[in-house]
Amino acid sequence: MTGSSYLSAAELSSVGSPTLWAVTIVGVLVLLVLDFLVTRRPHEVSMREALGWSAFYIALPLAFGAWIWSRFGSQQGVEYLTGYLVEKSLSVDNLFVFMLLLAAFAVPAALAQRVLLYGIAGALVLRAVFIALGAAALQTLDFAFLLFGLILIVTAIKLLRDALSGHEQEVDINKMRSVRLLRKVMPVVDDYHGTRMTIQQQGRRALTPFALVVVAVLATDIVFAVDSVPAVYGITEDPYLVFATNAFALLGLRALYFVLHAALSRLVHLSYGLAIILAFIGVKLGLHWAHGIWSGVPEIPTLASLGVIIGVLIVVTVTSLRATRDQVPGEPEVVSERH
């Protein structure tokens, strides 16, 4: 197949009509505003509250997936559900990084969910930008699938290397570029002042630690977007489904954090599983690119991908729980031992 014919074959088709896009974006914004209203008064999140919101944010995307399946067919339904599972899996690892940042900045428990919400809002904006850039790349570059695949394989190698070295859990505030830059621009006070990002001190505006941690979380969102958007494009080429899976996976993170807070430190093999999943999707993208040039190259069906992803997540969850069964949930030492 020639390059030009490959390029025409790569033109993206989408189930997202202008009306569906508009309704979905409005729905996401409404849910985000609702979360901000819920957290307008800082308070510690009870397990009952976290479980209730988590159940809602799991039921909603699953119901949406059922609608996609019934409205557009099984192929789109499987692509959506597989993409959502990939994004949700990656978001759990994101939560662990958030947990480390909140601990490193000594964020009061009452302010934790507001920090997470700023991070989610920033992630939604960044994912939308990366999704648009990804769609443009797929439509204009005949090697875009190969590029995405290489990004995922490199990310998988980095995850595996960090997991083996035990450095993935290290967070040094003083070495973070975003924090160093802010401290050069404005003075920073030592104490939190609720959700205020700046205060007046000695006649001069100063940043609070809350502003630093929010910026640090937003900075990590950029790294997460680079990984997650190519990963879901490896499952579906439909920009609408890519956006929907990212949005639904992100919206439930605030509540899921408090549900999984103790369990997160027990998922000691999660990074290995995510490395395998990202490498698998990277190979899948590479095969898809090669198939567009040489039709004899096999492709990996989405349903098979779903089976592999579920299988890997089950295995790493079981092995993680067995490896940490003698540990007391919530022990601070567990965080530093995650590998």
Side-chain angles (χ1 to χ4, degrees), residues 14-294:
S14 176
V15 301
S17 64
T19 300
L20 186 56
W21 270 105
V23 170
T24 304
I25 292 173
V26 169
V28 169
L29 291 176
V30 168
L31 290 172
L32 196 58
V33 170
L34 178 62
D35 270 352
F36 270 102
L37 291 175
V38 169
T39 61
R40 70 187 185 280
R41 293 181 180 177
H43 65 282
E44 292 190 35
V45 179
S46 66
M47 182 57 67
R48 180 178 180 180
E49 179 184 352
L51 285 172
W53 281 107
S54 292
F56 170 75
Y57 277 117
I58 290 175
L60 183 61
L62 291 180
F64 185 78
W67 179 80
I68 289 288
W69 191 304
S70 64
R71 177 67 176 82
F72 300 106
S74 59
Q75 178 66 27
Q76 284 73 19
V78 171
E79 288 181 0
Y80 168 82
L81 292 173
T82 306
Y84 174 72
L85 183 61
V86 168
E87 289 303 311
K88 205 65 179 175
S89 304
L90 292 172
S91 71
V92 172
D93 200 47
N94 297 358
L95 283 180
F96 188 82
V97 177
F98 288 160
M99 182 174 72
L100 293 174
L101 286 173
L102 292 177
F105 282 93
V107 178
L111 303 179
Q113 60 177 340
R114 181 51 70 98
V115 173
L116 293 171
L117 200 50
Y118 277 115
I120 292 169
L124 281 169
V125 174
L126 287 169
R127 300 290 172 88
V129 172
F130 276 78
I131 289 168
L133 292 175
L138 292 178
Q139 288 181 308
T140 57
L141 301 177
D142 57 357
F143 57 88
F145 286 110
L146 180 61
L147 177 62
F148 285 1
L150 290 175
I151 290 174
L152 294 181
I153 291 174
V154 170
T155 302
I157 293 172
K158 183 181 183 301
L159 268 177
L160 184 60
R161 185 183 62 200
D162 290 346
L164 291 172
S165 65
H167 292 156
E168 60 170 332
Q169 77 286 346
E170 295 180 357
V171 173
D172 188 342
I173 296 176
N174 295 321
K175 291 183 179 180
M176 297 184 71
R177 294 178 182 177
S178 58
V179 173
R180 293 206 308 257
L181 179 61
L182 285 176
R183 284 176 171 167
K184 289 181 180 179
V185 175
M186 293 179 66
V188 180
V189 298
D190 295 328
D191 299 326
Y192 283 87
H193 293 264
T195 58
R196 296 178 62 184
M197 294 193 182
T198 64
I199 63 168
Q200 197 75 18
Q201 186 183 62
Q202 297 178 350
R204 187 180 179 187
R205 183 64 60 177
L207 293 172
T208 67
F210 185 83
L212 295 185
V213 67
V214 167
V215 171
V217 168
L218 292 176
T220 61
D221 284 339
I222 299 175
V223 179
F224 296 151
V226 172
D227 299 340
S228 64
V229 172
V232 75
Y233 266 123
I235 302 299
T236 176
E237 299 168 33
D238 186 331
Y240 174 78
L241 294 182
V242 173
F243 175 78
T245 54
N246 272 270
F248 280 126
L250 288 170
L251 283 171
L253 285 188
R254 177 183 62 83
L256 189 63
Y257 173 86
F258 296 99
V259 173
L260 296 181
H261 186 272
L264 281 173
S265 57
R266 295 193 60 188
L267 298 177
V268 293
H269 297 157
L270 178 62
S271 290
Y272 296 114
L274 292 178
I276 293 172
I277 290 172
L278 291 178
F280 171 78
I281 298 175
V283 171
K284 181 179 185 295
L285 280 166
L287 290 175
H288 180 69
W289 169 81
H291 181 81
I293 300 175
W294 303 287

Side-chain angles (χ1 to χ4, degrees), residues 300-312:
I300 301 175
T302 303
L303 194 58
S305 301
L306 178 60
V308 170
I309 292 166
I310 292 175
V312 169

